[in-house]
Amino acid sequence: MSKRFLRWAEAWIEEHIPPGANPDIESHDARARRLSENLFAEAATAGFTSLETEEERLRIAPLVLTAVSDSTDFDINTYHLKSQLAQENEDGD
């Protein structure tokens, strides 16, 4: 894998795929395919050759799917509830 392309792809994934931002309308696989196509379209405008991007297509797909499948969410209501319960119980957990 081209390290230059890998660094660019990882930066693109971090910028364009926030964790836990998958709406229920689209499956993880469909969203990953759509975003992979966007990534490779932008790679062409970023100066990567078509040969370079085709070599990396199979290696980048799992990275995009992993980012899309990440269900890390921060629920502010749960945080407040846990804080209140910790204060009531005075255990700090």
Side-chain angles (χ1 to χ4, degrees):
M1 179 178 277
S2 165
K3 287 187 180 190
R4 183 175 73 97
F5 187 82
L6 178 61
R7 284 192 304 269
W8 180 85
E10 287 174 343
W12 190 94
I13 289 169
E14 284 182 24
E15 183 178 325
H16 291 88
I17 307 174
N22 190 23
D24 293 335
I25 298 170
E26 190 174 28
S27 72
H28 292 306
D29 290 332
R31 185 167 185 241
R33 281 191 301 272
R34 180 177 56 80
L35 290 172
S36 291
E37 291 306 316
N38 292 348
L39 181 143
F40 287 109
E42 285 189 33
T45 61
F48 293 99
T49 65
S50 60
L51 178 62
E52 207 171 12
T53 57
E54 287 304 315
E55 286 178 356
E56 306 301 337
R57 193 170 285 273
L58 292 176
R59 295 181 184 143
I60 294 298
L63 297 175
V64 175
L65 182 59
T66 300
V68 167
S69 301
D70 184 5
S71 63
T72 305
D73 270 336
F74 180 76
D75 184 2
I76 191 69
N77 293 329
T78 302
Y79 173 77
H80 287 302
L81 179 61
K82 287 183 177 181
S83 296
Q84 289 173 350
L85 288 172
Q87 287 174 0
E88 286 177 13
N89 296 331
E90 295 182 10
D91 64 355
D93 289 334

